[in-house]
Amino acid sequence: MANIENAEIRQVSQDEIWQDRKHHLWFPLSFTKYSVENGRIYTNSGFLSSREDECLLYRITDITLTRTLTQKLFGTGTIHMNTKDRSTPIIHLENIKNPVQVKRMLSNLIEKEREEKNVVGRDMYGASGHISEGDHDFDCDDHDLNL
């Protein structure tokens, strides 16, 4: 489990950075688990039949935090993440504790992953991300450009 002290999220183990469960009121009584490790976010759900979803952090394009009055009273919130992942275009971390700190941690990790992988905005949007580095002129020869 993640240790949050003085609004800091400390690493759980060598690979796992954060984990939590979906809460009901303030009780973590759910079979839905969330974790972040190795540059990925995982969502495990189910008891008799289970499902695990995985998304690379650098593929997350937008993060939104919502908190109802009930969630504020019980110290939980829901984080919504839009991704460029085909299997899970939207990820919901429902009713997690310390949602403001988790959202900030995720934002920082996403930026760190993008910097490490040299992913820029054009790689995330449109077809220009599929062009190889040496093919900037769209298969035109250099002499065709008359530079």
Side-chain angles (χ1 to χ4, degrees), residues 11-68:
Q11 195 162 336
V12 179
S13 68
Q14 184 174 349
D15 294 330
E16 192 168 72
I17 296 170
W18 172 81
Q19 75 177 36
D20 200 359
R21 288 179 178 262
K22 179 179 178 180
H23 289 68
H24 295 285
L25 301 178
W26 61 78
F27 301 110
L29 302 173
S30 173
F31 294 108
T32 303
K33 300 176 187 176
Y34 310 110
S35 63
V36 174
E37 59 185 272
N38 299 324
R40 293 168 170 79
I41 187 162
Y42 297 95
T43 302
N44 296 301
S45 59
F47 176 64
L48 295 177
S49 66
S50 61
R51 176 184 172 129
E52 178 177 273
D53 288 319
E54 170 186 335
C55 181
L56 294 166
L57 289 175
Y58 74 86
R59 296 187 61 94
I60 296 171
T61 57
D62 186 47
I63 301 176
T64 305
L65 171 64
T66 58
R67 297 180 76 192
T68 63

Side-chain angles (χ1 to χ4, degrees), residues 123-142:
D123 294 334
M124 296 299 291
Y125 302 101
S128 64
H130 299 290
I131 300 170
S132 66
E133 281 187 34
D135 197 16
H136 294 293
D137 59 358
F138 303 100
D139 291 326
C140 295
D141 294 327
D142 290 336

Side-chain angles (χ1 to χ4, degrees), residues 62-68 71-72 76-81 93 95-104:
D62 186 47
I63 301 176
T64 305
L65 171 64
T66 58
R67 297 180 76 192
T68 63
Q71 287 176 321
K72 287 180 181 181
T76 62
T78 300
I79 296 176
H80 309 276
M81 295 177 281
L93 304 180
N95 294 331
I96 58 169
K97 61 183 174 179
N98 302 309
V100 174
Q101 291 89 350
V102 172
K103 180 183 174 288
R104 288 180 184 156

